[in-house]
């Protein structure tokens, strides 16, 4: 069993608590399903959000999904000129038998444009993107 890092990102339409919880849950669930993971496989998760998101902690969405015993932390994304607004990112450390080349990173909605360079990305853009 190896330790792997898996990335995820999602963009919100607005900074509204229920919307944030829904989008983050979608991202976490997407990472778990795309990589055939169970909660017990997750070592820890770091969430970052852009400074324009203040309605809720992204980690709370993972807690609602059952990540009660998993160490989670939230942090601010760097404020870089031209960066995409209203984005939550995650970096999950997991135990898996997947080779690094077979790990699937999940980028949803507007965030699907962030990492088209990765070889295994499950990108789900918005319908109007």
């Amino acid at each position: 069993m190896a330790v792997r890092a898996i990335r995820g990102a999602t963009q919100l339409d607005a900074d509204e608590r229920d919307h944030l919880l829904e989008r983050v849950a979608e991202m976490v669930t997407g990472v778990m399903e795309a990589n055939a993971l169970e909660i017990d496989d997750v070592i820890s998760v770091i969430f970052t959000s852009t400074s324009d998101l203040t309605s809720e902690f992204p980690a709370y969405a993972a807690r609602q999904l059952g990540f009660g015993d998993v160490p989670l932390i939230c942090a601010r994304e760097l404020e870089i000129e031209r960066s995409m607004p209203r984005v939550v990112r995650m970096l999950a450390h997991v135990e898996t038998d997947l080779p690094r080349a077979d790990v699937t990173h999940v980028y949803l909605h507007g965030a699907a444009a962030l990492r088209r360079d990765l070889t295994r990305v499950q990108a789900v853009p918005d319908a109007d993107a």
Side-chain angles (χ1 to χ4, degrees):
M1 186 84 47
V3 174
R4 302 284 183 225
I6 304 174
R7 293 289 314 269
T10 190
Q11 186 179 39
L12 280 64
D13 298 325
D15 183 28
E16 298 169 355
R17 183 177 187 270
D18 288 342
H19 181 57
L20 183 141
L21 293 173
E22 176 185 305
R23 288 279 171 102
V24 173
E26 176 188 29
M27 174 181 61
V28 171
T29 302
V31 165
M32 300 294 285
E33 290 175 356
N35 293 285
L37 297 169
E38 301 293 329
I39 292 174
D40 284 345
D41 299 326
V42 180
I43 298 167
S44 65
V45 183
I46 300 168
F47 292 96
T48 66
S49 62
T50 51
S51 61
D52 51 5
L53 298 177
T54 60
S55 61
E56 184 56 85
F57 292 100
Y60 184 65
R63 294 272 181 243
Q64 290 183 311
L65 293 173
F67 285 68
D69 293 336
V70 177
L72 307 174
I73 193 166
C74 297
R76 279 278 174 230
E77 191 67 35
L78 293 174
E79 294 187 36
I80 304 299
E81 191 175 321
R82 302 173 317 280
S83 63
M84 187 177 288
R86 300 178 316 281
V87 173
V88 176
R89 292 172 173 87
M90 69 179 283
L91 176 63
H93 303 96
V94 304
E95 292 181 316
T96 181
D97 288 325
L98 288 174
R100 184 175 303 182
D102 292 342
V103 168
T104 301
H105 307 278
V106 176
Y107 289 78
L108 305 174
H109 307 288
L114 290 173
R115 292 301 305 264
R116 295 177 193 231
D117 59 313
L118 294 175
T119 55
R120 289 186 58 87
V121 173
Q122 179 186 3
V124 180
D126 286 326
D128 58 352

